[in-house]
Amino acid sequence: MADDPFSLGGTSFTSRLIMGTGGAPSLDVLERSLVASGTELTTVAMRRVNASVHGSVLSVLDKLGIRVLPNTAGCFTAGEAVLTARLAREALGTDLVKLEVIADERTLLPDPIETLEAAETLVDDGFTVLPYTNDDPVLARKLEDVGCAAIMPLGSPIGSGLGIRNPHNFQLIVEHARVPVILDAGAGTASDAALAMELGCAGVMLASAVTRAQEPVLMADAMRHAVEAGRLAYRAGRIPRRHFAQASSPTEGRAALDPERPAFQ
């Protein structure tokens, strides 16, 4: 939305949807999905890409003019993540990094201690750090305190498609954050993306929900509109939830009808 851009690491983006590239069935489908999504920023796992290979994901992003957000997927320690980020900066010439330090292969949940340690080191090293983290308001605050440029809590485990399992925690994170909060992981369909935006997230990061959908290009288009609709709804402000009905029309000035005189004979 041109009239409502969001800033990340000093750069303004029109789209609030950040796409990942993992799981795409082919480069052709990936390219068409990226176009349909309208994304301007796309993550690439540095440990799984060879920038020198012709016809790679990076060449597709370069062709489409989409900014690359390298990530440290596949790292299990702070040391591995820091090294991967430094290699990405050297290879791609960007200080942006999506920090991922996972605890184990089975859950792919983030390791909070290693993530915090890596974030502090990378911020001191001049990186713009966007950490993938748990939906923990306390940890989110600590990551912000060490200088992270955004907070990226998971809605549910990576690739699960379970959506946002704890909306209350998301609200707590959003209410106290002074940096953008971006849903990262767990989205399964468009309503999950819309809910994240309605909760006040500044953006949505997703991959599997599109790349593993039956019709990836169609789902990418749906996600684009869901993010836009959710953002509009957040800005508009939802009505309060009530236990009982409230008439939409005013009760004053109603016609005084005589029940003894039916309107129809």
Side-chain angles (χ1 to χ4, degrees):
M1 291 176 283
D3 64 334
D4 181 34
F6 90 109
S7 179
L8 208 53
T11 301
S12 291
F13 297 91
T14 302
S15 171
R16 292 173 177 269
L17 177 58
I18 303 172
M19 280 282 294
T21 54
S26 69
L27 284 179
D28 174 63
V29 170
L30 175 63
E31 179 175 342
R32 290 189 288 123
S33 298
L34 291 170
V35 171
S37 74
T39 189
E40 298 167 293
L41 184 65
T42 297
T43 64
V44 174
M46 293 310 298
R47 300 188 69 179
R48 298 169 185 151
V49 69
N50 186 342
S52 65
V53 176
H54 179 69
S56 68
V57 170
L58 292 179
S59 66
V60 171
L61 300 182
D62 183 60
K63 173 185 174 184
L64 298 177
I66 296 174
R67 187 164 179 171
V68 178
L69 172 59
N71 69 50
T72 62
C75 294
F76 290 87
T77 67
E80 290 177 358
V82 169
L83 176 60
T84 301
R86 287 171 176 166
L87 291 174
R89 177 160 66 182
E90 187 174 331
L92 302 176
T94 177
D95 290 330
L96 270 179
V97 63
K98 180 178 173 240
L99 173 62
E100 290 187 32
V101 186
I102 58 175
D104 60 73
E105 288 280 11
R106 179 171 175 270
T107 65
L108 298 180
L109 292 173
D111 184 316
I113 297 172
E114 296 290 325
T115 299
L116 186 59
E117 181 182 335
E120 192 164 13
T121 301
L122 290 171
V123 168
D124 289 344
D125 208 11
F127 281 91
T128 299
V129 182
L130 316 176
Y132 162 63
T133 182
N134 297 292
D135 58 353
D136 178 349
V138 176
L139 179 59
R141 189 174 67 241
K142 289 182 180 295
L143 287 166
E144 184 177 343
D145 288 345
V146 300
C148 290
I151 303 298
M152 302 182 73
L154 57 81
S156 50
I158 291 174
S160 67
L162 291 172
I164 299 177
R165 306 303 289 175
N166 196 337
H168 178 64
N169 273 23
F170 264 74
Q171 284 184 310
L172 291 175
I173 293 172
V174 167
E175 285 173 8
H176 293 92
R178 301 180 301 273
V179 296
V181 177
I182 300 169
L183 168 66
D184 185 2
T189 189
S191 56
D192 297 329
L195 174 59
M197 300 303 293
E198 289 173 6
L199 290 172
C201 288
V204 171
M205 159 73 212
L206 54 86
S208 300
V210 166
T211 60
R212 291 178 175 147
Q214 294 181 27
E215 298 290 343
V217 179
L218 199 57
M219 185 60 83
D221 193 27
M223 291 297 185
R224 175 182 193 161
H225 288 93
V227 169
E228 292 176 356
R231 178 64 180 176
L232 287 173
Y234 173 73
R235 292 173 64 193
R238 64 160 295 126
I239 64 170
R241 291 183 172 86
R242 298 176 184 276
H243 289 293
F244 300 102
Q246 182 183 40
S248 56
S249 300
T251 57
E252 296 80 10
R254 287 189 299 182
L257 302 179
D258 184 351
E260 301 299 323
R261 300 177 60 189
F264 301 97
Q265 296 286 331

